Amino acid sequence: MAIGNDSSVTEFILLGLTQQPELQLPLFFIFLGFYVVTMVGNMGLILLIGLNSHLHTPMYYFLFNLSFIDFCYSSVIIPRMLMSFVKQNIISYPECMTQLCFFAFFVISECCILTSMAYDRYVAICKPLLYKAIMSHQVCLMFMAGTYGMGFVGAMAHTGCMLRLSFCDGNIINHYMCDIPPLLQLSCTSTYINEVVVFIVVGINVIVPSLTISISYTLILSNIFHIRSTEGRSKAFSTCSSHVVTVSLFFGASAFMYLKPSPAGSLDRDKVSTVFYTIVGPMMNPFIYSLRNKDVKIALSKTLKKRVFS
C-alpha cells in the first residue's frame, strides 16, 4: 500500500524514551505523574486567571495563553509517550504527521509568547507610566494573533516538507514522538530541503526571540540598577525571575536539539534534551509563575474562600 509521495510505509513504531525493560514501569508512573501535574497545574492557572478580574491584565493575559499552550502541548506528546512504556507503540503515517504538525505549532507558539512576555516585562519596568497605553488590549490581541500565526506558518512549513519525503523500508522511530530529526533519518529521499527549512524556521523562532529577550532583559537590568530603594529592586527582580527561568529552560533545550550542523547526531541524547522543553517545562511553568507571585496567591485564596463559604 502506498501512501503520500510513493511512500511504502503506512505506520511507524515509536521506540520510546528507553529500551531497558526494568525502567519501563517506573518511568510510566513517573511520566504519568508529570502529565497529571501538568494538566492540573495549567488548567488551574487558566481557571484562576479567568475567574479573577484583578488578574485581567496584559501579564496574566499572556500567562493565560502560555498555560493553554502548555496544556495542549503536553496532550499532544505525553499520552503517546506513555504507550511506549507498556506496549509496542505503533502510530500510523497520518497520525504521525498530525502529531508533528501540532507539536510544531505549539512549540513555535510558545517561543513567540515567551518573547511577548519579555517585552511586556520590559515595558512594565522601564516605561511604567506608559504601560497601559503601550500594552493596550488591542496590542495584546495583536501579539497573540502573531503568536498563533507564526505557529501555524511554521507548522505548515515543517509538515509540508515532511510530507514530500518517501519512507521506503525503515519505520522504527528512535524517539517517543514523531519529531523532525528521527524522521529525517528514516527517509530514503534527499532531506536537504527539510534541513534548510529546519534551520530557517527554527533559527527565526529561536535566535530572533532569544535576541529580543536578551535585549529586553539587558535594558531591564540597567533600569533596575538605577532604582535606589532595595524594596523596588527586589520587586523588579521577582517580577522577572520567573520568566528568566522558563526562558532559559525552554530556549536552551530547544536550541541544543535543533541548531546543530546535522540532524544525524545522537538521538538518545536528543531525546533527553527534548524531555526538558516538551514535558518538564510545561509541568514547571504554573509553579514557576505562581509560587513567588503574590497576586496569584491572593487570587487563589479568594477563590478557595468563595468556593468553601458559598
Side-chain angles (χ1 to χ4, degrees):
M1 288 179 64
I3 186 164
N5 259 359
D6 299 324
S7 175
S8 61
V9 172
T10 59
E11 59 186 26
F12 295 99
I13 298 173
L14 293 169
L15 288 184
L17 190 61
T18 180
Q19 290 298 293
Q20 298 182 42
E22 67 276 12
L23 295 178
Q24 300 292 339
L25 196 59
L27 286 175
F28 172 81
F29 286 109
I30 289 171
F31 283 98
L32 178 62
F34 284 175
Y35 185 53
V36 172
V37 171
T38 302
M39 295 295 100
V40 172
N42 283 290
M43 182 53 68
L45 202 52
I46 289 170
L47 292 174
L48 197 64
I49 294 171
L51 292 172
N52 290 272
S53 57
H54 75 279
L55 295 182
H56 295 176
T57 62
M59 174 183 172
Y60 294 103
Y61 174 71
F62 292 131
L63 185 54
F64 178 94
N65 281 276
L66 177 65
S67 292
F68 170 75
I69 290 170
D70 283 340
F71 182 90
C72 298
Y73 190 17
S74 299
S75 297
V76 169
I77 304 299
I78 302 181
R80 176 62 68 173
M81 177 192 193
L82 292 174
M83 292 175 61
S84 301
F85 293 126
V86 295
K87 65 176 184 178
Q88 188 178 57
N89 192 0
I90 298 174
I91 184 171
S92 69
Y93 181 90
E95 287 175 336
C96 186
M97 294 300 111
T98 301
Q99 186 188 50
L100 173 64
C101 182
F102 279 105
F103 165 68
F105 173 76
F106 287 119
V107 74
I108 293 171
S109 296
E110 181 137 346
C111 290
C112 295
I113 197 168
L114 289 173
T115 308
S116 300
M117 292 172 76
Y119 179 74
D120 173 71
R121 293 300 83 207
Y122 158 73
V123 176
I125 293 173
C126 299
K127 300 180 184 294
L129 299 179
L130 299 174
Y131 181 73
K132 288 186 177 180
I134 295 175
M135 298 303 297
S136 64
H137 182 65
Q138 291 77 11
V139 170
C140 291
L141 287 176
M142 286 174 60
F143 271 119
M144 289 316 306
T147 291
Y148 292 119
M150 288 291 288
F152 178 79
V153 171
M156 290 299 102
H158 285 309
T159 309
C161 287
M162 195 62 68
L163 288 171
R164 58 175 285 278
L165 298 181
S166 295
F167 300 92
C168 306
D169 299 313
N171 71 332
I172 298 177
I173 299 176
N174 186 17
H175 213 304
Y176 55 82
M177 66 176 180
C178 290
D179 200 3
I180 296 169
L183 281 170
L184 294 183
Q185 288 198 1
L186 292 180
S187 175
C188 56
T189 51
S190 173
T191 61
Y192 176 75
I193 293 176
N194 297 70
E195 292 175 33
V196 171
V197 170
V198 167
F199 272 99
I200 292 174
V201 176
V202 176
I204 291 173
N205 290 289
V206 172
I207 294 175
V208 174
S210 296
L211 287 174
T212 304
I213 292 169
S214 298
I215 292 170
S216 296
Y217 277 103
T218 299
L219 295 172
I220 287 171
L221 285 173
S222 175
N223 188 273
I224 288 175
F225 288 134
H226 285 85
I227 298 175
R228 294 184 178 181
S229 69
T230 305
E231 184 181 350
R233 288 182 187 176
S234 177
K235 186 177 180 181
F237 272 121
S238 65
T239 302
C240 301
S241 59
S242 300
H243 189 251
V244 170
V245 172
T246 301
V247 166
S248 301
L249 179 65
F250 182 83
F251 283 102
S254 55
F256 175 80
M257 176 68 184
Y258 293 104
L259 295 180
K260 295 183 296 186
S262 169
S266 170
L267 290 179
D268 290 330
R269 183 184 58 196
D270 289 348
K271 284 190 288 187
V272 175
S273 175
T274 308
V275 165
F276 283 97
Y277 72 91
T278 60
I279 297 172
V280 177
M283 180 186 68
M284 294 300 297
N285 285 347
F287 300 100
I288 291 171
Y289 282 101
S290 60
L291 290 177
R292 296 182 61 189
N293 191 309
K294 291 182 180 179
D295 291 335
V296 173
K297 290 179 181 178
I298 292 170
L300 180 60
S301 177
K302 288 182 178 179
T303 303
L304 291 175
K305 285 180 181 178
K306 284 181 182 178
R307 294 295 175 269
V308 171
F309 296 108
S310 60

